[in-house]
Amino acid sequence: MALVISLNLMLIIIGLVAITRFSAENVSQQNIIRAAETHLQQALTSAYLVIQYHDATADRDVSFELNQARTELNKLFIESDSLDSLLAAIESRILVVQKLYDRVLSLGNVTTEGVAVSHLEDKMISELNILMEDSLTLAQSVTLQRQEALTQQLTLLLVAIFLLALVPIVFNLLLAQRFANRLKALVRSTQKISQGKLDIRVDSEADDEFGLIGQSINHMLNSLKTLTYSKAELEDIVRQRTEELNHQAMHDSLTGVLNRRALTTRLDEEVQRSRRHNHPLTLLFLDLDHFKQVNDHYGHAVGDQILQETCQALTECIRESDVLARYGGEEFAIILTDTTLEAGHELAERLQECFSTRFSRHAILEKPLTMSVGLTSLFPTDTLTQLFTRADTALYDAKNSGRNRIVIAQD
């Protein structure tokens, strides 16, 4: 029996030590333990009386004092408000029981009444077993609670670790998504720029690398727009200047009509068109009579004015399809498209009438100004030189035959 009690006590102590050892007794627990020890001491004293004197009253007192000691020890668990203090209470209770057990074992050395000692020992051991079973049950309960608490703490720790690991992952995912969205927007902007859309603007408000890239792209766009506008303006200037140069190269600077070079080019085109469509073509050469006297008498300024007025008068009398050009000096040429030699002669007469009307009573000139005309038509085998030569020869004949005349070139 004593061996069983000893083993039980050792198991309880080993179990408690395996869990942990706490020394957190407070003043209240110490008072409870002292009260329990007092009752146990009284129980032992009563037991001693039973053994020595066979006192029945003392025998009852043993049970009473043991119950009181158990009641006092149970207060330890009522006073315990935490797991740590509960473990300390169980440890204190075991120590008290251990003391009681040692005193019971010492009783055998006091008495010679084997029966009485056996009866008293059985009673004491029975009470001690109750105390030990309660303590063991509480120790197991505390162990389970401790394990559950540790499990909960471990679970909370794992959850905390998981959350701590999850937060940067989620943050990185959100950051990566934001990075991808901004990169896609940047790619779309650059694609539009590559298509020549320079009016777009890239987001440059963010204080990061994307903001710096946006600022650089916007600066580049401003530069490109400036260069584009400059290029457009330059192209417009070049185009206008080219047109001016082309106009100057093909037109007479004084009168504004085609010059000799443009006349040759245009006559070549009209000759080809006439032969292609088998249409007639007539060429007129005109020369102002005695124009040198006008320059000598009135000066070249008046002479230039007369040449300008001559072009105005001729333009008013010809058709829109006809081509007027200044051949040189006071000599002019007119290409009459889709016109026979006879029709060309009639037009030459109208031109002389228009010219005579314009200059018969001129505000500056004291004498009427007349004009000589020579004309010819295009022959199938003509070259431009031959056509020019025939018209020029006819004009020369008109001037030599008295001027103010119209002469048709001979075949």
Side-chain angles (χ1 to χ4, degrees):
M1 181 76 66
L3 180 60
V4 173
I5 296 174
S6 298
L7 290 174
N8 287 336
L9 288 173
M10 290 299 294
L11 288 174
I12 294 173
I13 294 173
I14 292 172
L16 290 173
V17 171
I19 298 171
T20 184
R21 184 173 183 85
F22 295 97
S23 58
E25 295 179 347
N26 53 31
V27 176
S28 176
Q29 290 176 335
Q30 293 176 359
N31 293 334
I32 292 173
I33 292 171
R34 283 196 292 270
E37 288 178 344
T38 301
H39 288 292
L40 290 174
Q41 183 64 36
Q42 292 177 356
L44 290 173
T45 301
S46 299
Y48 181 77
L49 294 175
V50 171
I51 294 170
Q52 293 293 332
Y53 306 106
H54 305 283
D55 187 347
T57 303
D59 191 10
R60 290 193 299 273
D61 290 340
V62 171
S63 297
F64 174 77
E65 294 299 337
L66 288 174
N67 287 330
Q68 288 296 109
R70 190 190 310 152
T71 300
E72 291 295 333
L73 291 173
N74 285 336
K75 290 181 181 179
L76 291 173
F77 306 105
I78 298 174
E79 294 290 336
S80 300
D81 56 356
S82 65
L83 187 61
D84 292 341
S85 61
L86 183 59
L87 288 172
I90 294 173
E91 184 179 4
S92 300
R93 178 171 180 170
I94 291 174
L95 292 175
V96 172
V97 173
Q98 181 67 47
K99 290 180 181 179
L100 178 59
Y101 174 72
D102 292 339
R103 297 297 296 276
V104 169
L105 291 180
S106 67
L107 290 176
N109 299 325
V110 176
T111 180
T112 58
E113 298 292 338
V115 177
V117 171
S118 177
H119 169 72
L120 183 60
E121 183 179 6
D122 289 341
K123 181 180 291 187
M124 298 291 286
I125 288 174
S126 176
E127 296 295 333
L128 289 174
N129 281 335
I130 293 174
L131 287 173
M132 285 188 292
E133 288 176 0
D134 291 344
S135 298
L136 182 60
T137 300
L138 287 171
Q140 292 175 347
S141 176
V142 170
T143 302
L144 291 176
Q145 292 180 13
R146 187 74 173 185
Q147 290 177 348
E148 291 177 357
L150 290 174
T151 302
Q152 291 179 356
Q153 291 177 359
L154 181 60
T155 302
L156 291 175
L157 180 61
L158 292 176
V159 171
I161 294 173
F162 175 75
L163 291 177
L164 289 175
L166 184 63
V167 168
I169 293 175
V170 174
F171 176 78
N172 289 332
L173 289 175
L174 294 176
L175 187 62
Q177 183 64 34
R178 183 171 179 267
F179 178 86
N181 292 337
R182 297 182 67 184
L183 186 60
K184 289 179 181 178
L186 187 61
V187 170
R188 288 194 296 269
S189 299
T190 54
Q191 289 175 344
K192 292 180 180 179
I193 294 173
S194 65
Q195 297 171 359
K197 299 177 181 180
L198 304 180
D199 293 331
I200 66 171
R201 281 294 175 269
V202 180
D203 183 15
S204 60
E205 296 181 358
D207 188 16
D208 55 11
E209 288 77 5
F210 281 99
L212 294 176
I213 294 174
Q215 293 175 7
S216 300
I217 293 177
N218 290 335
H219 180 70
M220 179 187 67
L221 286 173
N222 292 332
S223 301
L224 286 175
K225 288 181 67 177
T226 302
L227 292 175
T228 301
Y229 292 150
S230 300
K231 180 181 178 182
E233 293 174 356
L234 182 60
E235 290 177 348
D236 187 57
I237 293 174
V238 171
R239 183 177 61 256
Q240 292 179 2
R241 185 57 180 166
T242 302
E243 292 176 355
E244 292 176 359
L245 292 175
N246 289 334
H247 186 273
Q248 293 175 5
M250 303 297 288
H251 291 77
D252 178 58
S253 60
L254 177 63
T255 61
V257 298
L258 296 180
N259 57 21
R260 184 171 181 169
R261 177 183 177 185
L263 173 66
T264 303
T265 302
R266 186 65 180 274
L267 182 60
D268 183 50
E269 294 174 355
E270 293 299 335
V271 167
Q272 293 180 19
R273 189 180 70 84
S274 176
R275 286 173 175 170
R276 186 167 56 250
H277 297 288
N278 196 24
H279 291 169
L281 179 68
T282 299
L283 178 62
L284 276 66
F285 268 24
L286 307 89
D287 187 83
L288 303 184
D289 298 331
H290 304 293
F291 186 73
K292 184 178 182 302
Q293 296 178 4
V294 174
N295 280 331
D296 293 341
H297 184 72
Y298 297 101
H300 289 282
V302 174
D304 291 344
Q305 180 181 343
I306 296 302
L307 292 175
Q308 292 172 347
E309 292 182 9
T310 298
C311 288
Q312 292 176 1
L314 294 176
T315 302
E316 292 173 358
C317 294
I318 63 176
R319 300 166 301 181
E320 292 184 0
S321 59
D322 299 332
V323 180
L324 172 64
R326 185 183 179 188
Y327 194 68
E330 68 274 15
E331 190 174 352
F332 299 90
I334 300 177
I335 303 174
L336 304 177
T337 59
D338 297 328
T339 304
T340 61
L341 187 61
E342 292 76 11
H345 185 268
E346 293 177 359
L347 180 59
E349 290 178 344
R350 289 200 303 272
L351 289 174
Q352 276 193 327
E353 291 178 3
C354 291
F355 188 80
S356 176
T357 302
R358 181 73 175 254
F359 292 99
S360 61
R361 294 180 180 181
H362 195 271
I364 298 176
L365 300 178
E366 297 175 356
K367 296 179 181 181
L369 187 63
T370 60
M371 178 176 63
S372 298
V373 181
L375 69 155
T376 185
S377 291
L378 176 67
F379 295 124
T381 59
D382 276 344
T383 63
L384 290 181
T385 302
Q386 291 173 336
L387 189 60
F388 273 124
T389 300
R390 255 197 334 272
D392 189 59
T393 300
L395 176 61
Y396 181 78
D397 292 342
K399 295 180 73 65
N400 286 336
S401 62
R403 292 183 174 83
N404 195 22
R405 296 178 184 276
I406 300 174
V407 175
I408 299 176
Q410 300 299 320
D411 296 343

